């Protein structure tokens, strides 16, 4: 964890400190894990799989931030903080950021523009985050 970078975000009011709640972290891991599992069901539409994998990524990324004792009021920042919470390379959290933008277009403008490659990448990165969080929570 890069505490200095996270504390800098607190100083500029992008994050705030909040005591770690192990039950909350565990609940987020469970929620994200279940959504990710369901996103793998190829009988679902691509849009549903995208929605499930995006929400799984968000829950697990939020679990990482909460595990470190921080909270954000902005969904996108939860993904950007992965480089500080789980040392996720920028190329990977940028895929999550791209998914966030597509989610917003779908949610607020009705423009659903996802493809199989994005959903696959989103699921792979989310699985990486899930494994890291399970290791942190049990270790």
């Amino acid at each position: 964890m890069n505490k200095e970078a996270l504390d800098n975000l607190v100083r500029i009011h992008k994050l705030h400190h909040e005591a770690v709640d192990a039950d909350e972290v565990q609940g987020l891991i469970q929620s994200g894990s279940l959504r990710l599992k369901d996103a793998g069901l190829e009988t679902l539409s691509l849009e549903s799989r995208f929605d499930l994998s995006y929400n799984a990524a968000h829950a697990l990324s939020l679990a990482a931030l909460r595990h470190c004792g921080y909270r954000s009021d902005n969904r996108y920042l939860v993904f950007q903080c992965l480089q500080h919470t789980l040392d996720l390379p920028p190329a990977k959290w940028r895929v999550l950021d791209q998914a966030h933008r597509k989610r917003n277009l779908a949610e607020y403008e009705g423009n659903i523009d996802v493809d199989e490659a994005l959903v696959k990448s989103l699921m792979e990165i989310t699985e990486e985050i899930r494994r890291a969080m399970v290791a942190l929570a049990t270790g």
Side-chain angles (χ1 to χ4, degrees):
M1 171 179 67
N2 184 340
K3 185 168 175 35
E4 183 179 335
L6 294 169
D7 285 341
N8 283 337
L9 290 168
V10 170
R11 274 191 282 288
I12 63 171
H13 307 288
K14 296 292 185 180
L15 294 179
H16 53 270
H17 290 283
E18 190 171 311
V20 176
D21 179 338
D23 290 337
E24 178 188 10
V25 171
Q26 197 56 46
L28 288 165
I29 293 170
Q30 182 178 2
S31 175
S33 297
L34 290 172
R35 284 184 168 95
L36 183 59
K37 181 180 177 189
D38 288 349
L41 298 172
E42 293 187 8
T43 55
L44 297 176
S45 69
L46 188 60
E47 290 81 4
S48 291
R49 293 176 57 222
F50 171 78
D51 188 57
L52 285 163
S53 56
Y54 170 83
N55 284 306
H58 186 265
L60 292 161
S61 299
L62 181 56
L65 193 60
R66 294 295 299 120
H67 178 80
C68 294
Y70 298 88
R71 186 177 294 280
S72 172
D73 297 326
N74 297 310
R75 291 178 73 90
Y76 74 91
L77 194 59
V78 172
F79 296 134
Q80 292 177 357
C81 284
L82 286 167
Q83 67 181 326
H84 308 307
T85 57
L86 296 178
D87 200 29
L88 194 74
K92 291 186 179 181
W93 68 256
R94 284 189 188 116
V95 170
L96 301 176
D97 189 57
Q98 175 190 14
H100 176 75
R101 286 192 307 276
K102 288 187 178 278
R103 174 254 184 203
N104 281 351
L105 285 172
E107 194 78 14
Y108 300 116
E109 297 179 22
N111 181 6
I112 301 172
D113 179 27
V114 296
D115 59 31
E116 188 71 42
L118 175 62
V119 173
K120 183 178 183 222
S121 293
L122 182 56
M123 289 179 65
E124 288 171 354
I125 294 166
T126 303
E127 174 59 23
E128 184 178 338
I129 296 166
R130 188 195 68 76
R131 284 192 312 267
M133 282 312 303
V134 168
L136 278 175
T138 60

